[in-house]
Amino acid sequence: MNRWVQVYGTGKNIRTIAAYMISVGLVGFGPVLYVATKGGALPDPLTTGVYLVLTILGQHFSVTFPDINSIVLADPVIYAALWAFGPRLAIICQVAAIITHLLTQKKAILNTFFNASQFSLSIMVSSVWVHVAKNTPLGHNPYFQIVFVNLLILTFELMNNTFVSIAVALDQEQRWREVFPRLFFISRRKTFLLSYLINTAGVLLASYMGLAGISFVFAAVFVLWLQLRFEQELAVKSLEANTDALTGLLNARYLESWLENDFAKLSAGENTCSIIFIDVDGLKGVNDQMGHDVGDLLLQHLAKVLKSVVRSCDSVIRYGGDEFIVICTKTDLEQAKGIADRILTALRETPLVKDGTTVSFGISVGLASFPKHSTLGRDLVRLADKAMYLAKKDGGNRYRTADNL
């Protein structure tokens, strides 16, 4: 069934979704076929070929921004084809791109049929603004051309999002009036204006510069796609370099970077900050008696507890071996004590059980705060480390502060 129709929700309404997709496909099939075969003359073979190739390529690339919104490279090409040459070229290019997507991305057949029809119907409806612009005096005014182009894009998106939001509402068992505004604007409000600027620029440059114009816009958006892709890959590599493989926490390399870069900004802004230094009590005994696999499980368990207790603004670091550090920004000593208490309580309430046996271990915790105990980052870590050893000397499973040194 997945090869025929693809859903993303519970799948309870799959028959209703399939019926809806078939209905939209059948409604659009006749008019779309007519426009694609008899809806005006196509441009010269070179122009037709370039638009076709750019649309097919563009359908496989989307500029995805950090908020997960995206701009498909094929969009400005389709709008330019519609504005400059009419719905026939736009529909042929769009349908060809969608069919290619079926083959390259293994899309479900019914979803592809639905997409081809709803895109084509949206093109046909929005083409009314092309007719208005070409048959009214206002359409020859450059400023009003911008207005008509944006009306074309707006009409296309309203139609397209209407078709899609009904399918999503059925799929996710939500109300249509909640889904439509989310898809149309709310979920992409940060890139809404940018997409309109890119698409409008593509249409206008294609109108005044021909193939050179639309090729330039496509190349510009493609470069933006490459740049964002590079930045995303760099961010992933940076995260991997600063992540401890066993626990998934930040590692000592991150701490070094924070001390060199972020701590200076912190001190310059006169904010408070606290360092919580944690050392595991009894890890050697666990390794000797139960094996290093259980010791690793203990460290992973502690990492999970720490992540569940600290705030989202805090950074949890595996400093090395059985030592952990929590960087608590905008936190004075009293607030850090509260965090340390929550950590100790959470460990008592969340014991590690392996094969029915509770793994016995504890932690010793040391606290030091900026600027109370030191104005130097590395000195702050050193003082928190010394306070931790004082807690360990006093029996462990407790915290001590740099005040106690």
Side-chain angles (χ1 to χ4, degrees), residues 319-388:
Y319 189 48
D322 57 355
E323 295 179 333
F324 296 79
I325 287 177
V326 182
I327 301 173
C328 304
T329 56
K330 297 182 180 179
T331 305
D332 59 24
L333 184 60
E334 291 304 314
Q335 292 170 319
K337 289 179 180 178
I339 296 173
D341 276 326
R342 291 202 301 271
I343 293 172
L344 291 166
T345 300
L347 277 177
R348 286 193 296 269
E349 295 176 350
T350 315
L352 173 61
V353 179
K354 173 65 175 176
D355 297 331
T357 302
T358 300
V359 180
S360 179
F361 75 99
I363 60 171
S364 298
V365 182
L367 310 177
S369 293
F370 166 88
K372 179 179 176 63
H373 299 123
S374 177
T375 58
L376 301 175
R378 296 184 190 282
D379 196 37
L380 210 60
V381 173
R382 182 183 62 81
L383 290 172
D385 186 14
K386 291 183 69 174
M388 179 274 295

Side-chain angles (χ1 to χ4, degrees), residues 84-139:
F85 304 105
R88 185 181 183 188
L89 178 62
I91 288 175
I92 289 174
C93 291
Q94 184 70 79
V95 171
I98 291 173
I99 292 175
T100 304
H101 229 216
L102 168 67
L103 302 174
T104 60
Q105 303 296 320
K106 296 182 180 180
K107 295 290 184 180
I109 294 173
L110 190 52
N111 294 64
T112 301
F113 182 54
F114 167 75
N115 287 336
S117 184
Q118 58 102 354
F119 273 124
S120 299
L121 287 171
S122 300
I123 289 172
M124 290 174 61
V125 173
S126 57
S127 67
V128 66
W129 294 111
V130 180
H131 179 78
V132 171
K134 290 183 177 179
N135 292 278
T136 60
L138 291 177

Side-chain angles (χ1 to χ4, degrees), residues 119-288:
F119 273 124
S120 299
L121 287 171
S122 300
I123 289 172
M124 290 174 61
V125 173
S126 57
S127 67
V128 66
W129 294 111
V130 180
H131 179 78
V132 171
K134 290 183 177 179
N135 292 278
T136 60
L138 291 177
H140 301 286
N141 183 299
Y143 295 102
F144 278 98
Q145 284 183 3
I146 296 176
V147 174
F148 285 129
V149 168
N150 279 276
L151 287 172
L152 179 153
I153 298 171
L154 177 62
T155 303
F156 177 91
E157 290 199 338
L158 286 171
M159 288 290 298
N160 178 45
N161 279 275
T162 297
F163 286 122
V164 174
S165 60
I166 293 173
V168 172
L170 291 172
D171 184 22
Q172 300 183 0
E173 300 178 82
Q174 298 176 351
R175 289 181 292 187
W176 175 80
R177 64 175 178 268
E178 296 175 351
V179 175
F180 177 80
R182 185 178 77 239
L183 293 182
F184 180 70
F185 177 72
I186 296 174
S187 64
R188 61 190 189 111
R189 59 186 178 273
K190 294 182 180 179
T191 55
F192 190 81
L193 290 178
L194 177 61
S195 67
Y196 269 72
L197 286 172
I198 290 174
N199 291 326
T200 302
V203 171
L204 295 178
L205 283 174
S207 298
Y208 288 97
M209 297 177 62
L211 289 179
I214 192 60
S215 299
F216 175 79
V217 171
F218 186 90
V221 182
F222 183 72
V223 169
L224 179 60
W225 175 81
L226 286 175
Q227 178 65 25
L228 287 174
R229 185 73 176 267
F230 172 76
E231 291 178 358
Q232 290 164 359
E233 291 178 354
L234 189 63
V236 169
K237 290 179 180 178
S238 176
L239 179 62
E240 290 175 349
N242 290 320
T243 301
D244 175 61
L246 177 64
T247 62
L249 299 178
L250 298 168
N251 59 19
R253 183 181 287 115
Y254 173 83
L255 177 63
E256 288 298 316
S257 175
W258 183 84
L259 289 171
E260 291 180 9
N261 301 305
D262 297 78
F263 185 80
K265 299 175 186 177
L266 180 78
S267 57
E270 298 182 354
N271 291 315
T272 56
C273 174
S274 292
I275 297 294
I276 300 178
F277 202 109
I278 300 168
D279 184 83
V280 178
D281 299 326
L283 178 61
K284 185 179 184 304
V286 171
N287 286 331
D288 292 342

Side-chain angles (χ1 to χ4, degrees), residues 1-7 14-15 18 108-111:
M1 193 68 172
N2 287 340
R3 186 55 182 151
W4 285 95
V5 58
Q6 186 175 9
V7 296
I14 191 168
R15 294 183 183 275
I109 294 173
L110 190 52
N111 294 64

Side-chain angles (χ1 to χ4, degrees), residues 25-104:
L26 292 176
V27 167
F29 184 76
V32 167
L33 184 62
Y34 176 81
V35 171
T37 56
K38 301 182 182 299
L42 292 173
D44 62 88
L46 175 62
T47 300
T48 302
V50 170
Y51 271 88
L52 194 60
V53 170
L54 291 181
T55 306
I56 291 173
L57 289 175
Q59 193 70 36
H60 291 75
F61 295 97
S62 60
V63 178
T64 303
F65 296 92
D67 61 356
I68 315 302
N69 292 315
S70 61
I71 297 174
V72 180
L73 271 69
D75 288 350
V77 182
I78 291 296
Y79 292 134
L82 176 58
W83 179 263
F85 304 105
R88 185 181 183 188
L89 178 62
I91 288 175
I92 289 174
C93 291
Q94 184 70 79
V95 171
I98 291 173
I99 292 175
T100 304
H101 229 216
L102 168 67
L103 302 174
T104 60

